């Protein structure tokens, strides 16, 4: 024993050494899988609140996700930073998983002290959205510290803390939060990091191996001890139960006396008794070598002996029972008494015959058959007991008692059926017709033959037939009344009702005539006829509703037609012969006018589908605005083309332009002569694009039209540039800058940016000639900008002309208004 204690002590030391060297293998566990629908997680804790998840959801704000995590401290030290480190690790694991919210989460982590389970350490971490609101770490700690007194109930602490955090969020959302996002997230999670090295030394491996072997040996020792205790307990229990077997044997012997006294033998039960004793003998034989098997065998023996004792007692009870025999005698007496009663007839036209008694011989309700069954079951009980089959005897006893009850039920139902026939027959006879004669005779025959249940069934069938006939005729009568009312409404609203409604009414009227004829004749299926009448009645109600709908639709169509004419007049469509619109728009306008004329004609008729006409009128009304929009679009697009063509015409007229400045006449044709080819090409291209624009306009292909206008604008800019150069050439020898400015204006160069660029870029600050102009070597050099820089043909300022003149330089000379010679 001493050696064993020393071995156990050594094993404990080895296990302690192994555990200490493996401390990093059991960190605090955190839930690794994230589920957006789950709000409460537990790893190793037992926070019992089945409604906690729902409570957390109730505290959650709109657009927010809240999660609470309960976990138990691992091998890390229970420091003040443990819960914050766990929160950071948890966030690092969860935020890469599908479904985790981006920045609108609140996570509450509670770590339980493994040595002091009543102690919890909480921490909260929130997403960037709430940090940007101004929710700081101090706010979170304030909420947690406020509720630390309730940490003895961690579930309640979690709910209250989430509520306080959300109260702060609601305040920041609704108040004047600074929104600086100063909330400081925890960057923990690095504690317990791995310290990789070159592997364990040989000594360490020896220690680890010895520790593992020690653990295995300790487990083996523990298993051996436990198994030994289990077998000892089984052996002791088996011994106690084997001692009880002797008591049960005495109880069996005691039950044999009453069994023999009532005339039953124990022989049928002997084999059961011997079998139980054999199990007890086997249990005794296994007591030392297999005590657990011995306990199982002795349990079976006890169970069989207890059941045998109960059966012996019940066998004596059933043998001595007088209940069933007494119930049989009572049933026989009830049958005899009833059959000796004189029958009193209460059926119209039937007189009582003295001395006639109840027969009680109806098929399916004859009490004699139940009495025979009861006697048979009583006799069978003795036979089952004699063979030792107590459960079978019990079944015979129960079946016999049910047969006795059936005797009383049979007599009761027979007398009740006779009484009901006598009570209802007079009322039924008042509603019978000639066609019901055979049914009445059938009831009478069954009644006089004392087949009272059959007579009652015939009476029920006749009552149903009379009721169905009454309901069918009443429904047909109501149909006729409904028809007259609908017919009157049709006459008063004939102009509104459609032909289909009239056809439906005629069909229902024909069906009603057939029904009125059929209800006067004997028929076999009044239920079916009543269903047909109900369908006709429902049809008349539908016709009445259609009449109301038609009148309402007629009035609605009239109102819709007035709206259509008002909208058509307000649209103020131009005369297609004298307006600029495409052929498609002209066709749509013509179709609209035709449709208006058509609905005008149709609205003056009768027997119309007013609902359909109203819908057509409303559709035509919507077309008014559509066509008006098309025509306006046509005119707008046409104006774009016409405006650009007018601009082009002004530039083209530069050929015939003359100007007298300072006593000298300037001629546009001469100025353009040097660049006539460029001018002609730009003009021809512009005309071609203008023709294509008209082509697309006619086809209402606005994409193509817009493209051609863009090309047209490009050609206009070229002509504008050439004209600009030409006017500059015409006036460059003049010292009168104001006269030059008016020369630009006279030919339509209202683009003040163009004039400003001419003045700023092409009037040199250093006089290159006597008039102070920079003279480019060629037109191409001028177009490229020369010393002034930039390709003017690409300038965004070449957009036509218009606007106010921004040139505010002093006017040294009051110019003479030039005379156009165009």
């Amino acid at each position: 024993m001493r050696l064993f204690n020393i071995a156990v002590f050594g094993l404990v030391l080895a296990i302690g050494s192994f555990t200490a060297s493996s401390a990093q293998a059991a960190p605090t566990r955190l839930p690794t899988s994230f589920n957006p629908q789950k709000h409460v997680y537990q790893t190793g804790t037992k926070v019992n609140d089945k409604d906690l998840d729902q409570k957390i959801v109730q505290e959650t704000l709109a657009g927010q996700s809240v999660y609470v995590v309960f976990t138990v401290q691992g091998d890390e030290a229970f420091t003040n930073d443990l819960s914050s480190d766990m929160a950071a690790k948890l966030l690092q694991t969860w935020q890469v998983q599908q479904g985790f919210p981006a920045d609108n989460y609140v996570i509450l982590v509670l770590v339980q002290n493994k040595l002091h389970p009543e102690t919890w350490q909480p921490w909260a971490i929130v997403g960037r959205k709430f940090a940007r609101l101004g929710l700081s770490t101090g706010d979170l700690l304030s909420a947690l510290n406020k509720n630390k007194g309730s940490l003895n109930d961690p579930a309640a602490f979690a709910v209250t803390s989430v509520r306080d955090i959300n109260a702060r969020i609601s305040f920041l959302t609704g108040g004047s939060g600074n929104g600086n996002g100063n909330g400081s997230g925890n960057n923990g999670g690095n504690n317990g990091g791995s310290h990789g090295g070159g592997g364990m030394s040989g000594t360490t491996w020896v220690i680890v191996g010895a520790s593992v072997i020690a653990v295995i040996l300790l487990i083996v020792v523990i298993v051996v001890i436990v198994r030994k205790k289990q077998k000892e307990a089984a052996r002791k229990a088996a011994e106690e139960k084997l001692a009880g077997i002797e008591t049960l044997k005495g109880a069996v012997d005691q039950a044999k006396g009453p069994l023999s006294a009532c005339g039953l033998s124990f022989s049928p039960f002997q084999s059961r008794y011997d079998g139980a004793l054999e199990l007890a003998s086997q249990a005794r034989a296994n007591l030392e070598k297999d005590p657990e098997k011995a306990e199982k065998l002795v349990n079976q023996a006890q169970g069989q002996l207890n059941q045998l004792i109960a059966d012996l007692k019940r066998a004596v009870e059933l043998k001595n029972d007088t209940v069933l025999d007494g119930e049989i005698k009572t049933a026989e007496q009830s049958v005899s008494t009833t059959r000796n009663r004189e029958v009193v007839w209460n059926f119209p036209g039937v007189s009582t015959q003295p001395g006639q008694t109840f027969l009680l011989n109806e098929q399916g309700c004859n009490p004699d058959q139940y009495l025979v069954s009861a006697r048979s079951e009583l006799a069978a009980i003795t036979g089952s007991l004699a063979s030792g089959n107590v459960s079978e005897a019990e079944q015979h006893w129960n079946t016999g008692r049910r047969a006795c009850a059936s005797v009383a039920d049979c007599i009761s139902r027979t007398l009740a059926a006779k009484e009901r026939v006598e009570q209802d027959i007079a009322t039924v006879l008042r509603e019978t017709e000639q066609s019901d004669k055979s049914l009445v005779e059938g009831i009478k025959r069954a009644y006089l033959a004392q087949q009272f249940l059959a007579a009652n069934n015939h009476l029920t069938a006749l009552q149903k037939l009379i009721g169905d006939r009454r309901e069918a005729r009443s429904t047909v009568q109501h149909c006729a009344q409904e028809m007259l009312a609908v017919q009157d409404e049709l006459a008063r609203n004939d102009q509104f009702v459609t032909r289909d409604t009239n056809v439906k009414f005629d069909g229902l009227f024909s069906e009603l005539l057939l029904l009125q004829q059929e209800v006067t004749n004997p028929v076999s299926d009044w239920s079916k006829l009543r269903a047909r009448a109900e369908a006709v009645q429902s049809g008349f109600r539908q016709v009445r509703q259609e009449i109301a709908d038609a009148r309402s639709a007629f009035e609605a169509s009239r109102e819709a037609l007035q709206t259509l004419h008002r909208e058509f007049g307000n649209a103020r469509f131009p005369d297609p012969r004298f307006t600029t619109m495409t052929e498609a728009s002209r066709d749509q306008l013509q179709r609209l006018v035709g449709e208006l004329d058509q609905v005008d004609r149709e609205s003056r008729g009768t027997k119309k589908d007013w609902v359909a006409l109203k819908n057509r009128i409303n559709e035509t009304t919507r077309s008014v605005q559509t066509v008006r929009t098309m025509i306006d679009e046509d005119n707008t697009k046409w104006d774009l083309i016409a405006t650009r063509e007018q601009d082009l015409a002004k530039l083209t007229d530069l050929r015939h332009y003359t100007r007298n400045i300072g006593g000298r006449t300037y001629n546009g044709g001469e100025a353009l002569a040097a660049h006539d080819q460029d001018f002609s090409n730009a003009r021809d291209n512009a005309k071609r694009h203008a023709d294509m624009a008209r082509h697309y306009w006619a086809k209402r292909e606005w994409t193509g039209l817009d493209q051609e206008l863009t090309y047209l604008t490009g050609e206009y800019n070229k002509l504008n540039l050439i004209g600009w150069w030409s006017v500059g050439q015409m006036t460059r020898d003049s010292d009168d800058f104001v006269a030059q400015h008016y020369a630009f204006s006279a030919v339509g160069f209202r683009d003040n940016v163009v004039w400003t660029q001419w003045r700023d870029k092409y009037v040199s600050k250093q006089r290159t000639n006597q008039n102070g102009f920079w003279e480019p070597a060629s037109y191409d050099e001028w177009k490229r900008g020369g010393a002034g820089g930039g390709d003017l043909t690409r300038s965004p300022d070449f957009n036509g002309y218009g606007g106010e003149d921004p040139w505010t330089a002093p006017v040294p000379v009051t110019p003479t208004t030039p005379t156009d010679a165009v």
Side-chain angles (χ1 to χ4, degrees):
M1 190 67 182
R2 180 183 178 188
L3 180 61
F4 175 79
N5 290 337
I6 294 173
V8 170
F9 180 75
L11 291 175
V12 171
L13 288 179
I15 292 171
S17 174
F18 179 77
T19 304
S21 65
S22 305
Q24 296 300 325
T28 301
R29 291 194 300 124
L30 294 171
T32 56
S33 294
F34 172 76
N35 181 358
Q37 305 303 321
K38 183 178 180 181
H39 299 276
V40 177
Y41 296 79
Q42 294 198 56
T43 56
T45 55
K46 297 180 180 179
V47 178
N48 298 321
D49 188 343
K50 63 180 181 180
D51 298 325
L52 182 57
D53 197 281
Q54 183 178 358
K55 292 176 182 177
I56 295 300
V57 172
Q58 290 174 349
E59 296 297 334
T60 301
L61 300 175
Q64 180 194 56
S65 299
V66 179
Y67 307 98
V68 178
V69 178
F70 300 91
T71 185
V72 179
Q73 169 199 6
D75 290 331
E76 299 94 335
F78 199 77
T79 63
N80 293 333
D81 296 330
L82 180 58
S83 58
S84 63
D85 291 343
M86 293 304 105
K89 286 184 178 180
L90 181 67
L91 180 61
Q92 188 177 12
T93 302
W94 277 5
Q95 65 186 358
V96 296
Q97 297 189 31
Q98 185 175 5
F100 186 78
D103 60 355
N104 56 341
Y105 54 84
V106 174
I107 302 175
L108 180 62
V109 178
L110 291 97
V111 182
Q112 185 181 33
N113 192 314
K114 65 180 178 180
L115 299 179
H116 304 283
E118 72 280 3
T119 303
W120 293 81
Q121 185 184 111
W123 189 261
I125 187 169
V126 300
R128 292 188 301 272
K129 175 181 178 181
F130 304 121
R132 286 194 296 268
L133 289 174
L135 187 66
S136 65
T137 303
D139 292 329
L140 299 176
L141 289 175
S142 176
L144 299 180
N145 291 330
K146 175 183 176 183
N147 303 305
K148 266 198 171 181
S150 62
L151 267 174
N152 57 334
D153 185 355
F157 172 85
V159 174
T160 307
S161 297
V162 170
R163 183 182 303 144
D164 290 343
I165 292 172
N166 282 340
R168 180 60 179 167
I169 291 175
S170 298
F171 172 79
L172 293 172
T173 303
S176 57
N178 57 29
N180 292 328
N182 294 324
S184 59
N186 278 282
N187 296 320
N190 296 322
N191 291 350
S194 60
H195 299 280
M200 292 186 291
S201 66
T203 303
T204 304
W205 278 112
V206 171
I207 294 174
V208 171
S211 300
V212 172
I213 294 172
V215 171
I216 295 173
L217 290 176
L218 180 59
I219 292 173
V220 171
V221 170
I222 293 173
V223 169
V224 170
I225 293 173
V226 171
R227 287 295 297 148
K228 184 177 181 180
K229 288 184 177 181
Q230 288 175 343
K231 289 183 178 181
E232 182 64 25
R235 187 185 65 79
K236 184 176 181 180
E239 286 178 344
E240 293 175 353
K241 293 175 181 178
L242 283 171
I245 291 294
E246 296 302 321
T247 303
L248 293 176
K249 287 169 63 178
V252 172
D253 292 338
Q254 187 177 0
K256 290 180 180 179
L259 188 71
S260 178
C262 69
L264 296 176
S265 171
F266 184 73
S267 298
F269 302 96
Q270 186 66 49
S271 60
R272 293 171 58 187
Y273 181 67
D274 294 341
L277 294 182
E278 176 62 24
L279 289 173
S281 176
Q282 293 177 12
R284 191 173 287 106
N286 285 278
L287 195 59
E288 296 298 333
K289 62 179 180 180
D290 193 349
E292 292 174 333
K293 181 178 180 182
E295 184 183 14
K296 181 178 180 182
L297 290 171
V298 76
N299 285 339
Q300 294 177 3
Q302 277 188 334
Q304 292 182 11
L305 288 174
N306 284 324
Q307 184 62 49
L308 177 60
I309 294 169
D311 285 350
L312 291 175
K313 291 179 179 180
R314 183 55 179 159
V316 173
E317 291 175 355
L318 290 173
K319 182 62 177 178
N320 296 330
D321 179 71
T322 60
V323 173
L324 179 56
D325 185 61
E327 290 181 351
I328 292 174
K329 291 178 180 178
T330 300
E332 290 175 339
Q333 182 63 40
S334 178
V335 172
S336 176
T337 301
T338 305
R339 282 179 171 161
N340 289 329
R341 282 175 54 187
E342 184 176 1
V343 179
V344 179
W345 304 108
N346 290 318
F347 196 94
V350 177
S351 58
T352 301
Q353 300 177 12
Q356 190 171 5
T357 59
F358 283 99
L359 300 177
L360 296 180
N361 62 351
E362 268 196 84
Q363 184 178 2
C365 192
N366 189 332
D368 295 340
Q369 64 186 18
Y370 300 115
L371 288 173
V372 172
S373 174
R375 285 294 180 189
S376 175
E377 296 297 332
L378 180 61
I381 292 174
T382 302
S384 297
L385 292 177
S387 63
N389 196 335
V390 180
S391 60
E392 185 179 83
E394 188 86 42
Q395 292 177 2
H396 289 308
W397 186 77
N398 290 326
T399 304
R401 295 195 66 190
R402 286 194 296 270
C404 292
S406 297
V407 171
D409 179 68
C410 179
I411 296 173
S412 176
R413 289 193 296 121
T414 300
L415 298 178
K418 175 180 179 296
E419 183 179 359
R420 180 180 178 268
V421 171
E422 294 169 346
Q423 287 178 349
D424 293 351
I425 188 63
T427 303
V428 171
L429 289 177
R430 285 195 293 269
E431 295 192 55
T432 56
E433 299 179 358
Q434 185 64 28
S435 59
D436 306 327
K437 183 178 180 180
S438 60
L439 297 176
V440 174
E441 289 298 326
I443 296 171
K444 185 176 182 180
R445 283 195 303 271
Y447 178 82
L448 292 175
Q450 292 198 31
Q451 303 296 308
F452 297 121
L453 293 174
N456 183 51
N457 292 337
H458 293 328
L459 177 63
T460 300
L462 179 57
Q463 286 176 316
K464 182 178 184 304
L465 183 147
I466 292 171
D468 290 343
R469 181 170 59 206
R470 187 192 313 116
E471 290 295 327
R473 289 174 176 172
S474 175
T475 305
V476 171
Q477 184 178 2
H478 285 112
C479 276
Q481 296 171 355
E482 189 84 31
M483 181 273 297
L484 292 175
V486 173
Q487 193 175 45
D488 181 61
E489 290 190 29
L490 282 172
R492 287 188 288 104
N493 298 280
D494 182 65
Q495 60 176 323
F496 311 121
V497 179
T498 65
R499 292 185 178 86
D500 290 343
T501 302
N502 282 327
V503 170
K504 182 182 293 185
F505 175 82
D506 293 341
L508 293 170
F509 181 76
S510 299
E511 178 68 8
L512 175 61
L513 293 178
L514 291 175
L515 290 172
Q516 288 176 325
Q517 182 179 357
E518 290 182 21
V519 294
T520 61
N521 300 326
V523 294
S524 58
D525 195 345
W526 289 101
S527 297
K528 184 176 181 180
L529 190 145
R530 188 179 79 173
R532 286 171 54 197
E534 289 174 344
V536 172
Q537 188 177 24
S538 175
F540 280 129
R541 290 170 181 165
Q542 291 178 5
V543 169
R544 174 174 286 178
Q545 185 61 47
E546 288 182 10
I547 294 172
D549 292 343
R551 183 180 184 88
S552 176
F554 169 79
E555 293 172 352
S557 66
R558 290 294 186 187
E559 183 177 350
L561 188 62
Q562 293 176 3
T563 301
L564 171 59
H565 279 283
R566 185 168 57 252
E567 291 295 322
F568 193 88
N570 292 338
R572 301 189 181 188
F573 289 109
D575 189 333
R577 297 171 299 173
F578 307 108
T579 188
T580 304
M581 67 175 70
T582 62
E583 192 65 29
S585 300
R586 189 176 288 108
D587 291 343
Q588 288 297 320
L589 179 57
Q590 185 176 359
R591 183 198 62 77
L592 179 62
V593 173
E595 182 67 17
L596 179 60
D597 182 62
Q598 180 69 19
V599 296
D600 274 336
R601 289 197 304 272
E602 291 189 15
S603 64
R604 291 192 291 270
T606 60
K607 301 296 181 183
K608 301 289 184 182
D609 185 349
W610 297 108
V611 174
L613 180 60
K614 180 195 67 174
N615 293 336
R616 277 185 56 198
I617 293 172
N618 288 337
E619 183 65 29
T620 304
T621 303
R622 286 189 290 271
S623 298
V624 170
Q625 187 58 44
T626 301
V627 175
R628 178 71 262 183
T629 300
M630 289 180 64
I631 293 173
D632 290 343
E633 193 173 35
D634 290 347
N635 289 333
T636 299
K637 298 295 185 181
W638 179 265
D639 289 343
L640 292 175
I641 300 173
T643 299
R644 182 55 74 198
E645 287 180 333
Q646 292 171 6
D647 294 342
L648 289 168
K650 291 180 180 180
L651 288 172
T652 304
D653 285 342
L654 281 174
R655 292 175 178 274
H656 310 290
Y657 171 74
T658 60
R659 172 69 63 189
N660 186 287
I661 300 176
R664 179 179 174 181
T665 299
Y666 297 92
N667 188 296
E670 296 176 0
L672 287 172
H675 308 288
D676 187 64
Q677 188 61 46
D678 290 339
F679 192 86
S680 297
N681 291 339
R683 182 195 58 195
D684 293 342
N685 287 336
K687 185 177 183 306
R688 179 170 56 83
H689 289 305
D691 292 340
M692 286 300 299
R694 289 177 181 274
H695 168 75
Y696 285 123
W697 174 86
K699 297 173 64 177
R700 294 185 60 82
E701 294 183 8
W702 304 135
T703 301
L705 172 62
D706 292 340
Q707 186 177 22
E708 292 301 324
L709 287 176
T710 299
Y711 295 153
L712 192 59
T713 300
E715 298 303 325
Y716 164 77
N717 287 336
K718 293 179 183 178
L719 290 171
N720 195 11
L721 190 62
I722 295 171
W724 184 12
W725 166 263
S726 300
V727 172
Q729 290 292 95
M730 291 167 61
T731 61
R732 64 189 180 87
D733 295 330
S734 174
D735 289 329
D736 191 344
F737 282 13
V738 176
Q740 294 175 24
H741 173 60
Y742 277 102
F744 273 93
S745 302
V747 296
F749 287 108
R750 301 290 183 182
D751 188 345
N752 299 299
V753 176
V754 171
W755 164 247
T756 303
Q757 288 183 350
W758 169 268
R759 183 193 64 191
D760 292 345
K761 291 186 177 182
Y762 297 98
V763 178
S764 174
K765 296 182 181 299
Q766 297 180 359
R767 300 175 64 89
T768 57
N769 59 25
Q770 61 178 354
N771 295 317
F773 284 97
W774 165 71
E775 297 185 38
S778 66
Y779 165 71
D780 291 334
E781 182 183 354
W782 178 88
K783 185 171 65 172
R784 289 194 302 272
D791 188 347
L792 296 181
T793 60
R794 298 184 182 181
S795 171
D797 297 323
F798 282 86
N799 295 323
Y801 39 84
E804 298 298 326
D805 186 359
W807 191 41
T808 58
V811 181
V813 179
T814 301
T816 303
T817 302
T819 301
D820 287 337
V822 179

